Amino acid sequence: MGGIDFITTHEVGCLLSVAIAANLLHAAEETSAERFVFSSSACVYPVHLQNDPDVKPLAEDNAFPVMPDGGYGWERLFSGSAR
């Protein structure tokens, strides 16, 4: 976890983590892994849902319609949807 400051100043580098996720999923498939844990990010949620001081806890369904917080949010959505 690099934190939002790292993500916003290294956005292109963070997008490269899609290759890491793809390689891990490929290895899991090749080894017939029974389980795979994918840790995502709050960045997958639309910014307007994160800025409300009275926000209710976010759920997976709140990520749609898709309007993630920047490129890192897009990468997390893309990698997490490859099941």
Side-chain angles (χ1 to χ4, degrees):
M1 170 62 188
I4 195 65
D5 288 333
F6 182 85
I7 292 169
T8 56
T9 57
H10 296 85
E11 198 159 305
V12 173
C14 288
L15 290 173
L16 296 176
S17 64
V18 73
I20 295 169
N23 287 333
L24 288 170
L25 288 167
H26 181 68
E29 181 180 44
E30 282 192 345
T31 60
S32 300
E34 293 183 26
R35 290 192 231 163
F36 188 91
V37 176
F38 181 80
S39 178
S40 189
S41 168
C43 292
V44 301
Y45 298 106
V47 175
H48 74 274
L49 293 179
Q50 300 177 51
N51 290 337
D52 183 353
D54 297 320
V55 68
K56 63 180 182 177
L58 297 170
E60 189 172 344
D61 289 344
N62 297 127
F64 303 95
V66 177
M67 292 186 67
D69 185 3
Y72 181 71
W74 279 108
E75 185 279 326
R76 295 284 77 195
L77 274 173
F78 172 79
S79 295
S81 66
R83 298 177 193 198

Coordinates of all heavy atoms in Angstrom, one line a residue:
M1 N 0.8 -1.2 0.0 CA 0.0 0.0 0.0 C 0.9 1.2 0.0 O 1.6 1.5 0.9 CB -0.9 -0.1 1.2 CG -1.7 1.2 1.5 SD -2.8 1.5 0.1 CE -3.3 3.1 0.5
G2 N 0.8 2.0 -1.1 CA 1.7 3.2 -1.2 C 1.0 4.4 -0.7 O 1.6 5.4 -0.5
G3 N -0.3 4.4 -0.5 CA -1.0 5.6 -0.1 C -1.4 6.5 -1.3 O -0.8 6.3 -2.4
I4 N -2.4 7.3 -1.1 CA -2.9 8.2 -2.2 C -1.8 9.1 -2.7 O -1.8 9.4 -3.9 CB -4.2 8.9 -1.8 CG1 -4.9 9.5 -3.0 CG2 -3.8 10.0 -0.8 CD1 -5.4 8.4 -3.9
D5 N -0.9 9.6 -1.9 CA 0.2 10.5 -2.4 C 1.0 9.7 -3.4 O 1.4 10.3 -4.4 CB 1.0 11.0 -1.3 CG 0.3 12.1 -0.4 OD1 -0.6 12.7 -1.0 OD2 0.6 12.2 0.8
F6 N 1.4 8.5 -3.1 CA 2.2 7.7 -4.1 C 1.4 7.5 -5.3 O 1.9 7.6 -6.4 CB 2.6 6.4 -3.4 CG 3.5 5.6 -4.4 CD1 4.9 5.8 -4.4 CD2 2.9 4.6 -5.2 CE1 5.7 5.1 -5.3 CE2 3.7 3.9 -6.1 CZ 5.1 4.1 -6.1
I7 N 0.1 7.1 -5.2 CA -0.7 6.8 -6.4 C -0.8 8.0 -7.3 O -0.7 7.8 -8.5 CB -2.1 6.3 -5.9 CG1 -1.9 4.9 -5.2 CG2 -3.0 6.2 -7.1 CD1 -3.2 4.4 -4.5
T8 N -1.0 9.1 -6.7 CA -1.3 10.3 -7.6 C 0.0 10.8 -8.2 O 0.0 11.5 -9.3 CB -1.9 11.5 -6.8 OG1 -1.1 11.8 -5.7 CG2 -3.3 11.1 -6.4
T9 N 1.2 10.5 -7.6 CA 2.4 11.0 -8.2 C 3.1 9.9 -9.1 O 4.1 10.2 -9.7 CB 3.4 11.5 -7.1 OG1 3.7 10.4 -6.2 CG2 2.9 12.7 -6.4
H10 N 2.6 8.7 -9.0 CA 3.2 7.6 -9.8 C 2.1 6.8 -10.5 O 2.1 5.6 -10.6 CB 4.0 6.6 -8.9 CG 5.1 7.2 -8.2 ND1 5.0 8.0 -7.1 CD2 6.4 7.3 -8.6 CE1 6.2 8.4 -6.7 NE2 7.1 8.0 -7.6
E11 N 1.1 7.5 -11.1 CA 0.0 6.8 -11.7 C 0.3 5.9 -12.8 O -0.2 4.8 -12.8 CB -1.0 7.9 -12.2 CG -2.4 7.3 -12.4 CD -3.5 8.3 -12.4 OE1 -3.6 9.1 -11.5 OE2 -4.2 8.3 -13.4
V12 N 1.2 6.2 -13.6 CA 1.6 5.3 -14.7 C 2.2 4.0 -14.2 O 1.9 2.9 -14.6 CB 2.6 5.9 -15.7 CG1 3.1 4.9 -16.7 CG2 1.9 7.1 -16.4
G13 N 3.1 4.1 -13.2 CA 3.7 3.0 -12.5 C 2.7 2.1 -11.9 O 2.7 0.8 -11.9
C14 N 1.7 2.7 -11.2 CA 0.6 1.9 -10.6 C -0.2 1.1 -11.6 O -0.7 0.1 -11.3 CB -0.3 2.8 -9.8 SG 0.5 3.4 -8.3
L15 N -0.4 1.7 -12.8 CA -1.1 1.0 -13.9 C -0.4 -0.3 -14.3 O -1.1 -1.2 -14.8 CB -1.4 1.9 -15.1 CG -2.3 3.1 -14.8 CD1 -2.3 4.0 -16.0 CD2 -3.7 2.6 -14.5
L16 N 0.9 -0.3 -14.1 CA 1.6 -1.5 -14.5 C 1.3 -2.7 -13.6 O 1.6 -3.9 -14.0 CB 3.1 -1.3 -14.5 CG 3.6 -0.2 -15.5 CD1 5.1 0.0 -15.3 CD2 3.3 -0.7 -16.9
S17 N 0.6 -2.5 -12.5 CA 0.3 -3.6 -11.6 C -0.8 -4.5 -12.3 O -1.0 -5.6 -11.9 CB -0.2 -3.1 -10.3 OG -1.4 -2.4 -10.4
V18 N -1.4 -4.1 -13.4 CA -2.3 -4.9 -14.1 C -1.5 -6.2 -14.7 O -2.1 -7.3 -14.7 CB -3.0 -4.2 -15.3 CG1 -2.1 -3.8 -16.4 CG2 -4.2 -5.0 -15.8
A19 N -0.3 -6.0 -15.1 CA 0.6 -7.1 -15.5 C 0.8 -8.1 -14.4 O 0.8 -9.3 -14.6 CB 1.9 -6.6 -16.1
I20 N 1.0 -7.6 -13.2 CA 1.3 -8.5 -12.0 C 0.0 -9.3 -11.8 O 0.1 -10.5 -11.6 CB 1.7 -7.6 -10.8 CG1 3.0 -6.9 -11.0 CG2 1.7 -8.5 -9.6 CD1 3.3 -5.9 -10.0
A21 N -1.2 -8.6 -11.8 CA -2.4 -9.3 -11.5 C -2.7 -10.4 -12.6 O -3.1 -11.5 -12.3 CB -3.6 -8.3 -11.5
A22 N -2.4 -10.0 -13.9 CA -2.6 -11.0 -15.0 C -1.7 -12.2 -14.8 O -2.1 -13.4 -15.0 CB -2.3 -10.4 -16.3
N23 N -0.4 -12.0 -14.4 CA 0.5 -13.1 -14.2 C 0.1 -14.0 -13.0 O 0.2 -15.2 -13.1 CB 1.9 -12.6 -14.0 CG 2.5 -12.1 -15.3 OD1 2.2 -12.5 -16.4 ND2 3.4 -11.1 -15.2
L24 N -0.4 -13.4 -12.0 CA -0.9 -14.1 -10.8 C -2.1 -15.0 -11.1 O -2.2 -16.1 -10.7 CB -1.2 -13.2 -9.6 CG 0.1 -12.6 -8.9 CD1 -0.3 -11.5 -8.0 CD2 0.9 -13.7 -8.2
L25 N -3.0 -14.4 -11.9 CA -4.2 -15.1 -12.3 C -3.9 -16.3 -13.2 O -4.4 -17.4 -13.1 CB -5.2 -14.2 -12.9 CG -5.9 -13.3 -12.0 CD1 -6.7 -12.2 -12.8 CD2 -6.9 -14.0 -11.1
H26 N -2.9 -16.0 -14.1 CA -2.5 -17.1 -15.0 C -1.8 -18.2 -14.2 O -2.1 -19.4 -14.5 CB -1.5 -16.5 -16.0 CG -1.0 -17.5 -17.0 ND1 -1.8 -18.1 -18.0 CD2 0.2 -18.1 -17.2 CE1 -1.1 -19.0 -18.7 NE2 0.2 -19.0 -18.2
A27 N -1.0 -17.9 -13.3 CA -0.3 -18.9 -12.5 C -1.4 -19.7 -11.6 O -1.2 -20.9 -11.5 CB 0.7 -18.3 -11.5
A28 N -2.4 -19.0 -11.1 CA -3.4 -19.7 -10.3 C -4.2 -20.7 -11.2 O -4.5 -21.8 -10.8 CB -4.3 -18.7 -9.7
E29 N -4.4 -20.3 -12.4 CA -5.2 -21.2 -13.3 C -4.3 -22.4 -13.7 O -4.8 -23.5 -13.7 CB -5.5 -20.4 -14.6 CG -6.3 -21.3 -15.6 CD -6.7 -20.5 -16.8 OE1 -5.8 -19.8 -17.4 OE2 -7.8 -20.7 -17.3
E30 N -3.0 -22.2 -14.0 CA -2.1 -23.3 -14.4 C -1.9 -24.3 -13.2 O -1.7 -25.4 -13.5 CB -0.8 -22.7 -14.8 CG -0.8 -22.2 -16.2 CD 0.6 -21.9 -16.8 OE1 1.6 -21.9 -16.0 OE2 0.7 -21.8 -18.0
T31 N -2.0 -23.8 -12.0 CA -1.8 -24.7 -10.8 C -3.1 -25.2 -10.3 O -3.1 -25.9 -9.2 CB -1.0 -24.0 -9.7 OG1 -1.7 -22.8 -9.3 CG2 0.4 -23.6 -10.2
S32 N -4.2 -24.9 -10.9 CA -5.5 -25.3 -10.5 C -5.8 -24.8 -9.0 O -6.3 -25.6 -8.2 CB -5.7 -26.8 -10.6 OG -5.6 -27.2 -11.9
A33 N -5.4 -23.6 -8.7 CA -5.6 -23.1 -7.4 C -7.1 -23.0 -7.1 O -7.9 -22.7 -7.9 CB -5.1 -21.6 -7.3
E34 N -7.4 -23.4 -5.9 CA -8.8 -23.5 -5.5 C -9.3 -22.1 -5.0 O -10.5 -21.8 -5.1 CB -9.1 -24.5 -4.4 CG -8.8 -25.9 -4.9 CD -9.1 -27.0 -3.8 OE1 -9.9 -26.7 -2.9 OE2 -8.6 -28.0 -3.9
R35 N -8.4 -21.3 -4.5 CA -8.8 -20.0 -4.1 C -7.8 -18.9 -4.5 O -6.6 -19.2 -4.7 CB -8.8 -19.9 -2.6 CG -10.0 -20.7 -2.0 CD -10.1 -20.4 -0.5 NE -10.1 -21.6 0.2 CZ -9.9 -21.7 1.5 NH1 -9.6 -20.7 2.2 NH2 -10.0 -22.9 2.1
F36 N -8.3 -17.7 -4.7 CA -7.4 -16.6 -5.1 C -8.0 -15.4 -4.4 O -9.1 -15.0 -4.6 CB -7.4 -16.4 -6.6 CG -6.4 -15.4 -7.1 CD1 -5.2 -15.8 -7.5 CD2 -6.8 -14.1 -7.2 CE1 -4.2 -14.9 -8.0 CE2 -5.8 -13.1 -7.7 CZ -4.6 -13.6 -8.0
V37 N -7.2 -14.7 -3.6 CA -7.6 -13.5 -2.9 C -7.1 -12.3 -3.6 O -5.9 -12.2 -3.9 CB -7.1 -13.5 -1.4 CG1 -7.5 -12.2 -0.7 CG2 -7.6 -14.7 -0.7
F38 N -8.0 -11.4 -4.0 CA -7.7 -10.2 -4.7 C -8.0 -9.0 -3.8 O -9.2 -8.8 -3.4 CB -8.4 -10.1 -6.0 CG -8.1 -8.8 -6.8 CD1 -6.9 -8.8 -7.5 CD2 -8.9 -7.7 -6.7 CE1 -6.6 -7.6 -8.2 CE2 -8.6 -6.6 -7.4 CZ -7.4 -6.5 -8.1
S39 N -7.1 -8.2 -3.4 CA -7.3 -7.0 -2.6 C -7.4 -5.8 -3.5 O -6.5 -5.5 -4.3 CB -6.1 -6.9 -1.6 OG -6.3 -5.7 -0.9
S40 N -8.5 -5.1 -3.4 CA -8.7 -4.0 -4.3 C -8.4 -2.7 -3.6 O -7.5 -2.6 -2.7 CB -10.2 -4.0 -4.8 OG -10.3 -3.1 -5.8
S41 N -9.2 -1.7 -3.9 CA -8.9 -0.3 -3.4 C -10.2 0.5 -3.4 O -11.1 0.3 -4.2 CB -7.9 0.4 -4.3 OG -7.8 1.7 -4.0
A42 N -10.2 1.4 -2.5 CA -11.4 2.4 -2.5 C -11.4 3.2 -3.7 O -12.4 3.8 -4.1 CB -11.3 3.3 -1.2
C43 N -10.3 3.2 -4.5 CA -10.2 4.0 -5.7 C -11.2 3.5 -6.8 O -11.4 4.1 -7.8 CB -8.8 4.1 -6.2 SG -7.7 5.0 -5.2
V44 N -11.7 2.3 -6.6 CA -12.7 1.7 -7.6 C -14.0 2.4 -7.5 O -14.8 2.4 -8.4 CB -12.9 0.2 -7.5 CG1 -11.6 -0.5 -7.6 CG2 -13.6 -0.2 -6.2
Y45 N -14.3 3.1 -6.4 CA -15.6 3.8 -6.2 C -15.6 5.2 -6.8 O -14.5 5.9 -6.8 CB -15.9 3.8 -4.7 CG -16.1 2.5 -4.1 CD1 -15.1 2.0 -3.3 CD2 -17.2 1.7 -4.4 CE1 -15.3 0.7 -2.7 CE2 -17.3 0.4 -3.9 CZ -16.4 0.0 -3.0 OH -16.5 -1.3 -2.5
P46 N -16.7 5.7 -7.3 CA -16.8 7.0 -7.8 C -16.4 8.0 -6.7 O -16.8 7.9 -5.5 CB -18.2 7.2 -8.2 CG -18.7 5.8 -8.5 CD -18.0 4.9 -7.5
V47 N -15.7 9.1 -7.1 CA -15.2 10.1 -6.1 C -16.3 10.7 -5.3 O -16.2 10.9 -4.1 CB -14.3 11.1 -6.8 CG1 -13.9 12.2 -5.9 CG2 -13.1 10.5 -7.5
H48 N -17.5 10.9 -6.0 CA -18.6 11.6 -5.3 C -19.1 10.8 -4.2 O -19.6 11.3 -3.2 CB -19.7 12.0 -6.3 CG -20.5 10.9 -6.8 ND1 -20.2 10.1 -7.9 CD2 -21.7 10.4 -6.3 CE1 -21.1 9.2 -8.1 NE2 -22.0 9.3 -7.1
L49 N -18.9 9.5 -4.2 CA -19.4 8.6 -3.1 C -18.4 8.7 -1.9 O -18.8 8.4 -0.8 CB -19.6 7.2 -3.5 CG -20.7 6.9 -4.5 CD1 -20.7 5.4 -4.9 CD2 -22.0 7.3 -4.0
Q50 N -17.2 9.0 -2.2 CA -16.1 9.1 -1.2 C -16.0 10.4 -0.5 O -15.5 10.5 0.6 CB -14.8 8.8 -1.8 CG -14.7 7.4 -2.4 CD -13.4 7.2 -3.1 OE1 -12.3 7.4 -2.4 NE2 -13.4 6.8 -4.3
N51 N -16.6 11.5 -1.1 CA -16.4 12.8 -0.6 C -17.6 13.2 0.4 O -17.4 14.3 1.0 CB -16.4 13.9 -1.7 CG -15.1 13.7 -2.5 OD1 -14.1 13.3 -2.0 ND2 -15.1 14.2 -3.7
D52 N -18.6 12.5 0.4 CA -19.7 12.8 1.3 C -19.4 12.5 2.8 O -19.0 11.4 3.1 CB -21.0 12.0 0.9 CG -22.2 12.3 1.7 OD1 -22.1 13.1 2.7 OD2 -23.3 11.8 1.3
P53 N -19.4 13.5 3.7 CA -19.0 13.3 5.0 C -19.9 12.3 5.8 O -19.6 11.7 6.7 CB -19.0 14.6 5.7 CG -19.8 15.5 4.8 CD -19.7 14.9 3.4
D54 N -21.1 12.1 5.2 CA -22.1 11.2 5.8 C -22.2 9.9 5.0 O -23.3 9.3 5.0 CB -23.5 11.9 5.9 CG -23.5 13.1 6.8 OD1 -22.8 13.1 7.9 OD2 -24.1 14.1 6.5
V55 N -21.1 9.6 4.4 CA -21.2 8.4 3.5 C -21.5 7.1 4.3 O -21.1 6.9 5.4 CB -19.8 8.2 2.8 CG1 -18.7 7.9 3.7 CG2 -19.9 7.2 1.6
K56 N -22.3 6.3 3.7 CA -22.6 5.0 4.3 C -21.5 4.0 3.8 O -20.8 4.3 2.8 CB -24.0 4.5 3.8 CG -24.1 4.3 2.4 CD -25.5 3.8 2.0 CE -25.5 3.6 0.5 NZ -26.7 3.0 -0.1
P57 N -21.3 2.9 4.5 CA -20.3 2.0 4.1 C -20.5 1.6 2.6 O -21.6 1.3 2.2 CB -20.5 0.8 5.0 CG -21.1 1.4 6.2 CD -22.0 2.5 5.7
L58 N -19.4 1.6 1.8 CA -19.5 1.3 0.4 C -19.5 -0.2 0.2 O -18.9 -1.0 0.9 CB -18.3 1.9 -0.3 CG -18.3 3.4 -0.3 CD1 -17.0 3.9 -0.9 CD2 -19.4 4.0 -1.1
A59 N -20.3 -0.7 -0.8 CA -20.4 -2.1 -1.1 C -19.9 -2.3 -2.6 O -19.8 -1.3 -3.3 CB -21.8 -2.6 -1.0
E60 N -19.7 -3.5 -3.0 CA -19.2 -3.8 -4.3 C -20.1 -3.2 -5.4 O -19.7 -2.6 -6.4 CB -19.1 -5.3 -4.5 CG -18.4 -5.6 -5.8 CD -18.1 -7.1 -5.9 OE1 -18.1 -7.8 -4.9 OE2 -17.8 -7.6 -7.0
D61 N -21.4 -3.2 -5.2 CA -22.4 -2.7 -6.2 C -22.2 -1.2 -6.3 O -22.7 -0.6 -7.4 CB -23.8 -3.0 -5.7 CG -24.2 -4.5 -5.9 OD1 -23.4 -5.2 -6.6 OD2 -25.2 -4.9 -5.3
N62 N -21.7 -0.5 -5.3 CA -21.5 1.0 -5.5 C -20.4 1.4 -6.5 O -20.3 2.5 -6.8 CB -21.1 1.6 -4.1 CG -22.2 1.4 -3.1 OD1 -22.0 0.9 -2.0 ND2 -23.4 1.8 -3.4
A63 N -19.7 0.4 -7.0 CA -18.6 0.7 -7.9 C -19.2 0.9 -9.3 O -18.5 1.4 -10.3 CB -17.6 -0.4 -8.0
F64 N -20.5 0.7 -9.5 CA -21.2 0.8 -10.8 C -22.3 1.7 -10.7 O -23.1 1.7 -9.7 CB -21.7 -0.6 -11.2 CG -20.5 -1.6 -11.3 CD1 -20.3 -2.4 -10.2 CD2 -19.7 -1.6 -12.4 CE1 -19.2 -3.3 -10.3 CE2 -18.7 -2.5 -12.5 CZ -18.4 -3.4 -11.4
P65 N -22.6 2.7 -11.6 CA -21.9 2.8 -12.9 C -20.4 3.2 -12.6 O -20.1 3.9 -11.7 CB -22.6 3.9 -13.6 CG -23.3 4.7 -12.6 CD -23.6 3.7 -11.4
V66 N -19.6 2.7 -13.5 CA -18.1 2.8 -13.3 C -17.7 4.3 -13.5 O -17.9 4.9 -14.6 CB -17.4 1.9 -14.3 CG1 -15.9 2.1 -14.2 CG2 -17.8 0.5 -14.1
M67 N -17.1 4.8 -12.5 CA -16.5 6.2 -12.5 C -15.4 6.2 -11.5 O -15.4 6.9 -10.5 CB -17.5 7.2 -12.2 CG -18.5 7.4 -13.3 SD -19.6 8.8 -13.1 CE -18.5 10.1 -13.2
P68 N -14.3 5.3 -11.6 CA -13.3 5.2 -10.6 C -12.5 6.4 -10.4 O -12.5 7.3 -11.3 CB -12.5 4.0 -11.1 CG -12.6 4.0 -12.6 CD -14.0 4.5 -12.8
D69 N -11.8 6.4 -9.3 CA -10.9 7.6 -9.0 C -9.5 7.4 -9.7 O -8.6 6.8 -9.2 CB -10.7 7.6 -7.5 CG -9.9 8.8 -7.0 OD1 -9.6 9.6 -7.8 OD2 -9.6 8.8 -5.8
G70 N -9.5 7.9 -10.9 CA -8.2 7.9 -11.7 C -7.8 6.6 -12.3 O -8.5 5.6 -12.2
G71 N -6.6 6.6 -12.8 CA -6.1 5.4 -13.5 C -5.9 4.2 -12.6 O -6.1 3.1 -13.0
Y72 N -5.5 4.4 -11.4 CA -5.3 3.3 -10.4 C -6.6 2.7 -10.1 O -6.7 1.4 -10.1 CB -4.7 3.8 -9.1 CG -4.4 2.8 -8.1 CD1 -3.4 1.8 -8.4 CD2 -5.2 2.7 -7.0 CE1 -3.2 0.8 -7.4 CE2 -4.9 1.7 -6.1 CZ -3.9 0.7 -6.3 OH -3.7 -0.3 -5.4
G73 N -7.7 3.4 -10.0 CA -9.0 2.9 -9.8 C -9.4 2.0 -11.0 O -10.0 0.9 -10.8
W74 N -9.2 2.5 -12.2 CA -9.5 1.7 -13.4 C -8.7 0.4 -13.4 O -9.2 -0.7 -13.7 CB -9.1 2.5 -14.7 CG -10.2 3.4 -15.1 CD1 -10.1 4.8 -15.0 CD2 -11.5 3.1 -15.6 NE1 -11.3 5.3 -15.5 CE2 -12.1 4.3 -15.8 CE3 -12.1 1.9 -15.9 CZ2 -13.4 4.4 -16.4 CZ3 -13.4 2.0 -16.4 CH2 -14.0 3.2 -16.6
E75 N -7.4 0.4 -13.0 CA -6.6 -0.8 -13.0 C -7.1 -1.8 -12.0 O -7.2 -3.0 -12.3 CB -5.1 -0.4 -12.6 CG -4.2 -1.6 -12.7 CD -4.2 -2.5 -11.5 OE1 -4.4 -1.9 -10.4 OE2 -4.1 -3.7 -11.6
R76 N -7.5 -1.3 -10.8 CA -8.1 -2.2 -9.8 C -9.4 -2.8 -10.3 O -9.6 -4.0 -10.0 CB -8.3 -1.5 -8.5 CG -7.0 -1.0 -7.8 CD -6.2 -2.0 -7.1 NE -5.4 -2.9 -8.0 CZ -4.9 -4.0 -7.7 NH1 -5.0 -4.5 -6.5 NH2 -4.2 -4.7 -8.6
L77 N -10.2 -2.0 -10.9 CA -11.5 -2.6 -11.5 C -11.2 -3.6 -12.5 O -11.8 -4.7 -12.5 CB -12.3 -1.5 -12.1 CG -13.3 -0.7 -11.1 CD1 -13.9 0.4 -11.8 CD2 -14.3 -1.6 -10.5
F78 N -10.3 -3.3 -13.4 CA -9.9 -4.2 -14.5 C -9.4 -5.5 -14.0 O -9.8 -6.6 -14.3 CB -8.9 -3.6 -15.5 CG -8.4 -4.5 -16.5 CD1 -9.1 -4.8 -17.6 CD2 -7.1 -5.0 -16.4 CE1 -8.6 -5.7 -18.6 CE2 -6.6 -5.9 -17.3 CZ -7.4 -6.2 -18.4
S79 N -8.4 -5.4 -13.1 CA -7.8 -6.6 -12.5 C -8.7 -7.4 -11.7 O -8.7 -8.7 -11.7 CB -6.6 -6.2 -11.7 OG -5.6 -5.6 -12.5
G80 N -9.6 -6.8 -10.9 CA -10.5 -7.5 -10.1 C -11.6 -8.2 -10.8 O -12.3 -9.1 -10.3
S81 N -11.9 -7.7 -12.0 CA -13.0 -8.3 -12.8 C -12.6 -9.6 -13.6 O -13.4 -10.3 -14.1 CB -13.6 -7.3 -13.7 OG -12.7 -6.9 -14.7
A82 N -11.3 -9.8 -13.6 CA -10.8 -11.0 -14.3 C -10.8 -12.2 -13.4 O -9.9 -12.6 -12.8 CB -9.3 -10.7 -14.8
R83 N -12.0 -12.8 -13.4 CA -12.2 -14.0 -12.5 C -12.1 -15.3 -13.2 O -12.6 -15.6 -14.2 CB -13.5 -13.9 -11.8 CG -13.7 -12.6 -11.0 CD -15.0 -12.5 -10.4 NE -15.1 -11.1 -9.9 CZ -16.0 -10.8 -9.1 NH1 -16.9 -11.6 -8.6 NH2 -16.1 -9.5 -8.7

